[in-house]
Amino acid sequence: MFRVAGSRSPGRSAPPLCGHRRADRNPGHRREANRCGGVTVASGDVVVADEDGVVIVPAARGAEILADARAKLAQEAAETLDAWETAHRAKVEAALHAGGFTG
Protein backbone atom coordinates (compact mmCIF):
# COMPACT_ATOMS: atom_id res chain seq x y z
CA MET A 1 0.00 0.00 0.00
CA PHE A 2 1.25 3.51 -0.73
CA ARG A 3 0.06 7.04 -0.08
CA VAL A 4 0.69 10.14 -2.14
CA ALA A 5 1.80 13.16 -0.11
CA GLY A 6 -1.23 15.21 0.89
CA SER A 7 -3.69 12.47 -0.09
CA ARG A 8 -6.17 11.12 2.43
CA SER A 9 -6.69 7.81 0.67
CA PRO A 10 -4.07 5.11 0.24
CA GLY A 11 -3.53 3.29 -3.03
CA ARG A 12 -3.65 -0.47 -3.15
CA SER A 13 -1.54 -1.15 -6.21
CA ALA A 14 1.66 -0.10 -7.85
CA PRO A 15 1.59 2.76 -10.36
CA PRO A 16 1.17 1.62 -13.98
CA LEU A 17 4.29 1.06 -16.04
CA CYS A 18 4.33 3.97 -18.44
CA GLY A 19 7.07 5.43 -20.56
CA HIS A 20 9.13 6.45 -17.54
CA ARG A 21 11.11 3.22 -17.47
CA ARG A 22 12.13 3.58 -21.11
CA ALA A 23 13.02 7.23 -20.51
CA ASP A 24 15.16 6.28 -17.50
CA ARG A 25 17.22 3.94 -19.68
CA ASN A 26 17.65 6.54 -22.40
CA PRO A 27 17.99 10.06 -20.94
CA GLY A 28 17.69 11.62 -24.39
CA HIS A 29 13.99 10.74 -24.51
CA ARG A 30 12.90 12.39 -21.25
CA ARG A 31 11.26 15.35 -22.99
CA GLU A 32 9.28 13.23 -25.43
CA ALA A 33 5.57 12.59 -24.97
CA ASN A 34 4.59 9.22 -23.52
CA ARG A 35 1.33 7.33 -23.49
CA CYS A 36 -0.04 6.07 -20.20
CA GLY A 37 -3.47 4.50 -19.86
CA GLY A 38 -4.31 5.52 -23.43
CA VAL A 39 -3.55 9.20 -22.76
CA THR A 40 -0.60 11.12 -24.15
CA VAL A 41 1.37 12.96 -21.47
CA ALA A 42 3.93 15.48 -22.69
CA SER A 43 6.66 17.38 -20.91
CA GLY A 44 5.10 20.39 -19.16
CA ASP A 45 1.63 18.84 -18.82
CA VAL A 46 0.06 18.97 -15.37
CA VAL A 47 -1.04 15.67 -13.83
CA VAL A 48 -3.64 15.93 -11.04
CA ALA A 49 -4.70 12.78 -9.21
CA ASP A 50 -6.84 11.95 -6.20
CA GLU A 51 -9.03 9.09 -4.99
CA ASP A 52 -11.60 9.86 -7.73
CA GLY A 53 -9.24 9.67 -10.69
CA VAL A 54 -6.52 11.31 -12.73
CA VAL A 55 -6.67 14.36 -15.01
CA ILE A 56 -4.00 15.38 -17.50
CA VAL A 57 -4.00 19.11 -18.31
CA PRO A 58 -2.09 19.88 -21.51
CA ALA A 59 0.51 22.60 -20.91
CA ALA A 60 -0.92 24.72 -23.74
CA ARG A 61 -4.34 24.84 -22.03
CA GLY A 62 -3.16 25.31 -18.43
CA ALA A 63 -4.20 28.97 -18.06
CA GLU A 64 -7.60 28.32 -19.68
CA ILE A 65 -8.32 25.28 -17.47
CA LEU A 66 -7.20 27.14 -14.33
CA ALA A 67 -9.51 30.08 -15.13
CA ASP A 68 -12.43 27.70 -15.73
CA ALA A 69 -11.72 25.84 -12.47
CA ARG A 70 -11.60 29.07 -10.49
CA ALA A 71 -14.89 30.22 -12.04
CA LYS A 72 -16.51 26.88 -11.17
CA LEU A 73 -15.18 27.07 -7.61
CA ALA A 74 -16.57 30.61 -7.19
CA GLN A 75 -19.95 29.49 -8.56
CA GLU A 76 -20.07 26.54 -6.15
CA ALA A 77 -19.02 28.72 -3.19
CA ALA A 78 -21.89 31.12 -3.91
CA GLU A 79 -24.49 28.33 -4.07
CA THR A 80 -26.38 27.43 -0.89
CA LEU A 81 -26.68 23.81 0.18
CA ASP A 82 -30.46 23.94 -0.35
CA ALA A 83 -30.02 25.23 -3.92
CA TRP A 84 -27.41 22.53 -4.64
CA GLU A 85 -29.68 19.82 -3.24
CA THR A 86 -32.65 21.00 -5.33
CA ALA A 87 -30.56 21.07 -8.52
CA HIS A 88 -28.99 17.68 -7.72
CA ARG A 89 -32.36 16.04 -7.10
CA ALA A 90 -33.64 17.44 -10.42
CA LYS A 91 -30.61 15.98 -12.26
CA VAL A 92 -31.07 12.57 -10.61
CA GLU A 93 -34.79 12.52 -11.39
CA ALA A 94 -34.14 13.51 -15.02
CA ALA A 95 -31.51 10.77 -15.39
CA LEU A 96 -33.83 8.16 -13.88
CA HIS A 97 -36.69 9.27 -16.11
CA ALA A 98 -34.46 9.17 -19.21
CA GLY A 99 -33.46 5.62 -18.25
CA GLY A 100 -37.07 4.52 -18.03
CA PHE A 101 -37.26 4.35 -14.26
CA THR A 102 -40.50 5.58 -12.76
CA GLY A 103 -41.99 5.59 -9.35
Side-chain angles (χ1 to χ4, degrees), residues 4-26:
V4 177
S7 172
R8 293 183 313 215
S9 71
R12 295 196 182 274
S13 64
L17 297 177
C18 299
H20 73 277
R21 289 188 181 249
R22 180 185 62 195
D24 288 344
R25 282 190 229 131
N26 189 347

Side-chain angles (χ1 to χ4, degrees), residues 2-80:
F2 63 92
R3 182 181 298 268
V4 177
S7 172
R8 293 183 313 215
S9 71
R12 295 196 182 274
S13 64
L17 297 177
C18 299
H20 73 277
R21 289 188 181 249
R22 180 185 62 195
D24 288 344
R25 282 190 229 131
N26 189 347
H29 294 286
R30 288 192 178 153
R31 299 244 183 245
E32 291 182 6
N34 287 287
R35 290 189 59 78
C36 184
V39 177
T40 299
V41 182
S43 178
D45 288 354
V46 177
V47 179
V48 180
D50 67 9
E51 61 272 8
D52 293 326
V54 180
V55 174
I56 309 298
V57 178
R61 295 191 59 206
E64 170 195 351
I65 301 294
L66 180 59
D68 289 349
R70 285 181 172 158
K72 177 74 172 162
L73 185 60
Q75 176 188 1
E76 289 175 353
E79 186 175 40
T80 66

